Amino acid sequence: MHHVGMTVTDLAAAVAFFEALGMELEGKAHMEGEFVDGVIGLDGSRSEIAMLRTPDDRYRVEFSEFQTPDAVDGSSHAPINALGLRHVAFVVDDLDDTLARIKPLGGEVVRNVETYQDMLKTCYVRGPEGMLIELCEYFS
């Protein structure tokens, strides 16, 4: 896998949230033109994108903020049992510290932080624009 792509209406907020999760900004770019339209299937598109990578450089998340055409609601606050891509999961070193860093950026635990058999502490978090993020801390 190279990356997961998400469309947002506030690129800066999405970047700040994922940087607080420990991801690193790889770069930003303006996207438009025939090549882009041909790939994504939208005529006259213009967008700003940001690519973030995990600290180990293995995985990436790409955010797109469209100027044209306008973004459409994709049920960003759908529950976990809705069809389609629902969440992205990250392993973190310290779940409590991570939650403290993302709370000021709008990160809210969906229900509980749970521990499974002294192996794993995990929770779902809603981030910017309703993104559903799973955070996992494994115990050694």
Side-chain angles (χ1 to χ4, degrees), residues 55-136:
D56 63 4
D57 200 34
R58 292 182 66 194
Y59 306 104
R60 287 165 177 72
V61 175
E62 176 189 86
F63 294 103
S64 301
E65 179 183 323
F66 281 84
Q67 285 79 48
T68 60
D70 290 338
V72 297
D73 184 10
S75 299
S76 60
H77 288 80
I80 193 65
N81 63 334
L83 296 176
L85 179 63
R86 285 294 130 225
H87 77 283
V88 178
F90 293 93
V91 175
V92 297
D93 293 330
D94 183 330
L95 182 58
D96 295 329
D97 177 65
T98 302
L99 291 172
R101 285 195 323 266
I102 64 173
K103 185 172 182 148
L105 301 170
E108 296 182 23
V109 174
V110 170
R111 181 168 288 167
N112 298 323
V113 175
E114 299 286 352
T115 301
Y116 179 73
Q117 296 183 354
D118 296 326
M119 296 177 3
L120 165 76
K121 185 163 50 168
T122 188
C123 64
Y124 279 6
V125 175
R126 286 279 181 191
E129 303 183 47
M131 288 180 213
L132 195 55
I133 311 297
E134 181 179 2
L135 300 175
C136 306

